[in-house]
Amino acid sequence: SLNRGTILPGFTPTPYLFGNDKTGNAPGWDFILGGQDPNIRYKAAENGWLSTSTKLTTPFSQLETKDISLKASIEPSTDFKIQVDAKKSSNSTFSEIYRYDLSSNGYQSLNPFQTGSYKVSMLTINTAFKNNTSTTSTVFQEFERNISVIQNRFGDVNGYGTKSQDVLIPAFIAAYSGTNAETVSLSPFPNIPIPNWRVDYTGLTKMGNLKDIFQSITINHAYSSSYGVTNFSNSLEYQNVGINVPLEDYNNPVLPKITNAQGQYIPIYVISQVMISEQFSPLIGINVRTKNKLTMRFDYKTKRDLSLNMSNASVTELVGKDWSVEVGYTKNNLKLPIKDQGRVITLKNDVTFRLNMSVTNNRTIQRPLEGETNITNGNINFQLRPNVSYVVNQKLNVQLYFERNVNEPLVTSSYKRATTRFGTKIQFNLAQ
């Protein structure tokens, strides 16, 4: 999908039919039918369509939003399904004050400014399971080595310093995607979206004696990874910007740039932060249901959020691991004797036992290029939630529950917390 829009302030001709004036030329059929020519402001000035007021403050602006989504479903058999999904999205807004100037007797472009964001699916599974502890990281060490490689590819070590965003971003992408730094694109806007996937398999119940015990067995696995530029804006030293200039061509090939007082190149687009987000949701998931109504579920999930900050030349890692177990069992027609005025009444209803247990380990690690690696935040969370539910009749349900939650911090600035809850719930439905 592609959405575009143009705002042209100071337009003076009176619309007659379909937005055009009586001559049919202003602003023209191309503009009326959705044309997004960035030169429309120059054309309007040449034809005398714009106001000559020197106090015009409403900017000429253009916006563009692009979304690409590719999906496919592969079924090698009725029990084996694979879904792949690739995405790419970008939005960009350009604006400038375009108004009449008395001293030059013409129109001038003032303060051209472009801003936006960018996100694309990618593949970082090559580094997902590499050595990565709170103190050492082989992937971060590879990122440090890639910096000199990228500098040499630019061919100007003095113009592109070790903390230049044009050097850091390609080195970061190469290291954490497991790509060779000699061949990785020098653009901070990767062009081609790489598919992510989800796999589901339900065919185990057809093997051997398993079909006599299990009603269903489902194994699933899902992987997603994306790279994003949270925000970019053009440097004020550059005038030739606009939504008609593809972001993906930035630095690839290398574009001529302006140097600062220290002789270092000024980026065309200023990027404060780029992020890589990766999830196995789950890495492995197993869902089982037996023929005697016993259900079991196990999920092991991992996530990794990586952000490269240009201001302090550091990588922040948010690493999470989560495993959970759920067991449930329903006993039909459980006999429950109750005494009432000397009589014994036996209830025969369903009782359900459930047990949920999970352990989550989250930690945030700060890895600067210069300085020590530190854990800045994190905790280990344990939850245990068993409960028993008994259906007295269609309107009345009685439940006994117990909940235990323990939170163990990984930093000294937080305290260990533990909470326990238990009790009885009685639910009576008046609607039935």
Side-chain angles (χ1 to χ4, degrees):
S1 64
L2 176 63
N3 295 312
R4 288 176 170 177
T6 299
I7 297 177
L8 180 63
F11 186 77
T12 57
T14 302
Y16 179 62
L17 292 176
F18 305 104
N20 275 319
D21 67 350
K22 288 187 176 182
T23 65
N25 297 322
W29 286 107
D30 178 68
F31 186 88
I32 296 300
L33 296 177
Q36 302 296 319
D37 184 4
N39 297 320
I40 183 65
R41 60 192 188 279
Y42 306 135
K43 178 181 177 181
E46 292 174 359
N47 289 281
W49 299 342
L50 297 183
S51 169
T52 56
S53 171
T54 59
K55 298 180 180 180
L56 182 67
T57 57
T58 303
F60 166 79
S61 62
Q62 288 190 306
L63 61 88
E64 178 184 79
T65 301
K66 290 192 293 186
D67 289 289
I68 298 174
S69 179
L70 305 173
K71 295 183 179 181
S73 180
I74 306 168
E75 295 188 17
S77 68
T78 56
D79 303 320
F80 189 27
K81 298 181 180 180
I82 303 173
Q83 295 178 346
V84 292
D85 185 8
K87 295 181 180 180
K88 176 181 175 182
S89 63
S90 65
N91 68 79
S92 182
T93 302
F94 171 79
S95 64
E96 72 171 15
I97 301 296
Y98 189 70
R99 68 186 179 197
Y100 191 77
D101 181 67
L102 291 176
S103 60
S104 62
N105 195 27
Y107 290 86
Q108 287 188 341
S109 296
L110 305 174
N111 303 324
F113 184 72
Q114 184 177 1
T115 184
S117 62
Y118 190 88
K119 187 176 182 180
V120 62
S121 59
M122 68 182 308
L123 194 65
T124 54
I125 196 172
N126 292 335
T127 63
F129 303 104
K130 287 192 174 182
N131 179 38
N132 187 61
T133 65
S134 58
T135 55
T136 61
S137 171
T138 56
V139 186
F140 184 77
Q141 293 169 358
E142 184 69 20
F143 165 58
E144 293 178 309
R145 290 190 291 268
N146 287 346
I147 292 176
S148 59
V149 177
I150 301 298
Q151 278 184 301
N152 293 330
R153 287 184 60 188
F154 277 111
D156 191 343
V157 177
N158 295 325
Y160 292 92
T162 57
K163 294 184 179 180
S164 167
Q165 73 170 41
D166 291 339
V167 173
L168 290 178
I169 295 177
F172 174 75
I173 294 175
Y176 286 92
S177 64
T179 308
N180 190 342
E182 294 284 359
T183 58
V184 70
S185 171
L186 296 177
S187 172
F189 305 99
N191 189 18
I192 301 176
I194 307 298
N196 301 153
W197 61 81
R198 178 179 177 87
V199 180
D200 294 279
Y201 182 65
T202 59
L204 286 179
T205 52
K206 297 181 179 179
M207 298 181 182
N209 296 327
L210 293 178
K211 61 182 179 181
D212 299 328
I213 303 173
F214 298 100
Q215 183 176 338
S216 66
I217 301 176
T218 302
I219 299 176
N220 51 63
H221 160 79
Y223 174 82
S224 64
S225 179
S226 64
Y227 164 87
V229 178
T230 53
N231 181 267
F232 68 85
S233 58
N234 68 289
S235 299
L236 298 180
E237 288 80 2
Y238 294 92
Q239 304 293 318
N240 188 23
V241 294
I243 62 174
N244 58 314
V245 181
L247 296 173
E248 294 82 356
D249 290 343
Y250 178 80
N251 274 348
N252 194 18
V254 179
L255 301 176
K257 293 184 179 180
I258 301 172
T259 58
N260 57 20
Q262 290 75 35
Q264 294 187 340
Y265 291 103
I266 301 172
I268 297 176
Y269 295 110
V270 177
I271 300 173
S272 59
Q273 184 184 70
V274 297
M275 298 185 66
I276 291 176
S277 179
E278 179 187 63
Q279 288 187 343
F280 289 93
S281 183
L283 177 63
I284 179 67
I286 303 175
N287 194 355
V288 174
R289 182 179 180 87
T290 65
K291 291 190 175 182
N292 60 357
K293 295 189 177 181
L294 174 66
T295 61
M296 293 177 288
R297 183 180 183 90
F298 171 80
D299 282 322
Y300 178 61
K301 303 177 182 179
T302 67
K303 68 176 181 179
R304 183 172 58 151
D305 292 333
L306 309 157
S307 62
L308 172 63
N309 302 288
M310 309 304 162
S311 58
N312 55 6
S314 67
V315 175
T316 302
E317 298 182 14
L318 174 59
V319 182
K321 297 179 180 179
D322 179 352
W323 68 266
S324 61
V325 176
E326 180 180 338
V327 179
Y329 177 69
T330 300
K331 175 65 176 176
N332 294 331
N333 299 324
L334 179 68
K335 295 181 179 180
L336 183 64
I338 299 176
K339 285 188 175 182
D340 181 25
Q341 297 179 357
R343 297 182 304 165
V344 177
I345 301 174
T346 302
L347 300 178
K348 295 181 179 181
N349 294 307
D350 296 346
V351 61
T352 300
F353 304 89
R354 290 193 180 277
L355 173 66
N356 293 278
M357 184 170 59
S358 66
V359 178
T360 304
N361 187 339
N362 290 321
R363 63 182 63 198
T364 302
I365 307 171
Q366 188 82 16
R367 303 188 190 276
L369 285 177
E370 298 177 359
E372 296 183 357
T373 298
N374 295 304
I375 297 180
T376 59
N377 197 7
N379 62 80
I380 299 176
N381 181 262
F382 169 77
Q383 294 186 26
L384 179 66
R385 301 187 305 274
N387 68 76
V388 180
S389 178
Y390 184 74
V391 179
V392 179
N393 53 45
Q394 292 184 348
K395 294 184 178 182
L396 182 61
N397 184 288
V398 179
Q399 184 183 96
L400 301 176
Y401 68 91
F402 176 86
E403 297 179 6
R404 176 68 172 172
N405 190 323
V406 181
N407 200 67
E408 183 79 31
L410 299 177
V411 292
T412 57
S413 58
S414 299
Y415 299 95
K416 180 179 178 179
R417 300 189 307 274
T419 59
T420 303
R421 300 174 58 202
F422 61 92
T424 303
K425 292 181 180 179
I426 299 175
Q427 296 177 333
F428 189 78
N429 192 345
L430 298 175
Q432 295 182 353

